[in-house]
Amino acid sequence: MMTDTYVILGTGIAGFSAARSIRREDTDCEIIMIGEEKESTYLRPLLSKTDFSRFRKNKIYTAKDSWYEENRITVLKGRTVSGIDRENHRVILDGSTVLSYRKCIYALGATCFVPPIPGKDKRGVLTLRTVQDFHELRRKTMTAKKAVFIGGGIIGMEMAWELHEMGIHCTILESAPRVMARQLDEESSDILRISIEKQGIEIHTAVQIRELTGDENVTGVILSDGRRFSADLVVLSTGVRPVVAPAKEAGLSCDRGVMADDYLVTSDPDILAAGDCVQCSIPNPGLWKYAKVSGDTAGYNAVHSESMRSFRVGNFPVILTAMGMGMFASGTTQEEPGITTEVSHSTPFGDENYMFRVNHNRCGSQNYQKRFYRDGKLCGIVLMGDISEMRTVPVNL
């Protein structure tokens, strides 16, 4: 009797979770993971949360090599998916290698979105998505004096703090009217911005980039209003774009991502999708938890096609551990019709001493909490300073 073969496209956390789930449900099958990077699955969020000086490559992997051996999971690294032959249930790698599958998990993730800014290809203009990106950025910081971060999200802020601690002057440029506009209401965002600026990091919001200056090497940024910022390092933190090209070429239904139903099954019943590249009824925030749970669900459903479970995931908390402080946001954190709020803080907003200088899991002298209610029920929370209460926040908030 021949064993079933499951081919997983992608070695990120979605692909890893799918492989682990498949092995848990089917102890006899063959599992093959395929990834473009020359690394096994690693904890991608740690790339922006780890000090350059403390970074140890072997500490970021999700599992040791022995785990893959013990679970009989083959990982093909540094390989490119060049085609999916749906009719014959085959995946083509690098234009030549052919792998047959019973079920395929499409989990190719996403790549950094690079806006069409004139000068974006100059040396010194970097992104942060992979281990290779991390090492390139670390090398550049050895000589950089001024850095500009285009994008005021979590990754941009965490990396700006790391470089600031190294003595590099950092400026954050954000196109939205405030920092972390999707995760924080106006008041919370303002408080976060004030605390960051008091640490010595510049923030400019509601800006548009005209061009990046310099000959071969970047020397600065010019805004649409003419303002200029000198920089020998520019980090683009402008979001990601799902990898959908192989899916489109194979004729799978795609929009921004690969379309899938509530069971993460694509328009082909033998191909499921998971991770940053999937688009289903639950909006994809591009966060670690979403990728992990969707991978686990897709793996389970690939094995149990007659008794699949629907994809369900709780809240998507956002945690910032930088600027000498901690910030946690979860649930509905915007003031909108039907929402009431309750605020508590240790220092009045606007006070010249308003600044958080605490570790992310310890109480400090400056703390801020804002709770959001709908019909008298807690539906969202923002914590700054002491964020230890995040451990008690309901997972379905």
Side-chain angles (χ1 to χ4, degrees), residues 28-302:
D28 298 321
C29 69
E30 181 180 8
I31 302 173
I32 303 173
M33 297 176 65
I34 302 161
E36 282 199 14
E37 289 190 65
K38 296 180 179 180
E39 312 287 345
S40 299
T41 306
Y42 56 88
L43 301 168
R44 198 180 303 278
L46 290 184
L47 295 181
S48 63
K49 297 180 185 294
T50 303
D51 293 346
F52 284 137
S53 60
R54 298 178 182 176
F55 180 78
R56 298 294 181 271
K57 190 174 178 180
N58 64 327
K59 298 295 184 182
I60 69 170
Y61 290 117
T62 309
K64 297 180 179 179
D65 290 343
S66 58
W67 181 87
Y68 295 93
E69 296 171 1
E70 293 166 2
N71 287 276
R72 306 187 320 281
I73 296 173
T74 301
V75 183
L76 304 181
K77 306 173 187 177
R79 308 298 294 273
T80 300
V81 177
S82 53
I84 303 173
D85 179 358
R86 293 168 48 200
E87 182 177 355
N88 296 301
H89 283 64
R90 301 188 306 177
V91 171
I92 299 91
L93 306 182
D94 305 309
S96 57
T97 305
V98 176
L99 299 174
S100 297
Y101 65 84
R102 173 181 172 265
K103 296 283 186 176
C104 176
I105 308 287
Y106 190 102
L108 289 176
T111 57
C112 288
F113 171 63
V114 178
I117 303 171
K120 62 181 176 60
D121 296 320
K122 297 182 187 300
R123 286 203 293 263
V125 181
L126 306 176
T127 58
L128 179 61
R129 180 73 178 174
T130 67
V131 169
Q132 183 178 346
D133 294 338
F134 180 88
H135 287 308
E136 188 174 357
L137 180 58
R138 182 164 63 171
R139 284 193 296 270
K140 184 61 180 177
T141 60
M142 295 178 182
T143 57
K145 302 298 182 184
K146 293 185 177 181
V148 169
F149 290 80
I150 299 178
I154 290 289
I155 293 177
M157 287 189 182
E158 289 177 336
M159 293 310 303
W161 174 248
E162 173 66 18
L163 270 61
H164 172 76
E165 288 284 87
M166 297 172 64
I168 299 173
H169 182 275
C170 293
T171 302
I172 297 174
L173 303 177
E174 171 59 56
S175 62
R178 62 179 189 269
V179 295
M180 299 188 67
R182 291 190 301 171
Q183 296 89 359
L184 299 176
D185 66 296
E186 186 172 355
E187 178 188 41
S188 301
S189 176
D190 287 345
I191 290 174
L192 177 63
R193 176 174 178 168
I194 288 172
S195 183
I196 293 172
E197 290 180 327
K198 284 189 174 183
Q199 300 278 16
I201 295 176
E202 290 185 46
I203 298 179
H204 301 271
T205 56
V207 303
Q208 298 296 321
I209 310 299
R210 178 191 296 174
E211 66 175 303
L212 306 182
T213 60
D215 295 323
E216 293 184 355
N217 299 305
V218 69
T219 58
V221 180
I222 302 178
L223 302 185
S224 58
D225 60 10
R227 281 181 289 170
R228 295 171 177 261
F229 299 89
S230 298
D232 46 12
L233 170 61
V234 173
V235 180
L236 301 177
S237 182
T238 47
V240 298
R241 290 294 181 269
V243 177
V244 298
K248 284 185 175 180
E249 292 170 3
L252 294 176
S253 296
C254 297
D255 184 24
R256 186 177 184 274
V258 180
M259 302 298 295
D261 62 17
D262 289 344
Y263 303 99
L264 301 182
V265 178
T266 68
S267 54
D268 184 323
D270 291 326
I271 300 178
L272 296 88
D276 291 345
C277 60
V278 69
Q279 182 175 342
C280 62
S281 60
I282 301 178
N284 194 333
L287 297 177
W288 181 260
K289 180 180 177 180
Y290 188 102
K292 183 176 182 293
V293 177
S294 64
D296 184 75
T297 302
Y300 179 93
N301 291 342

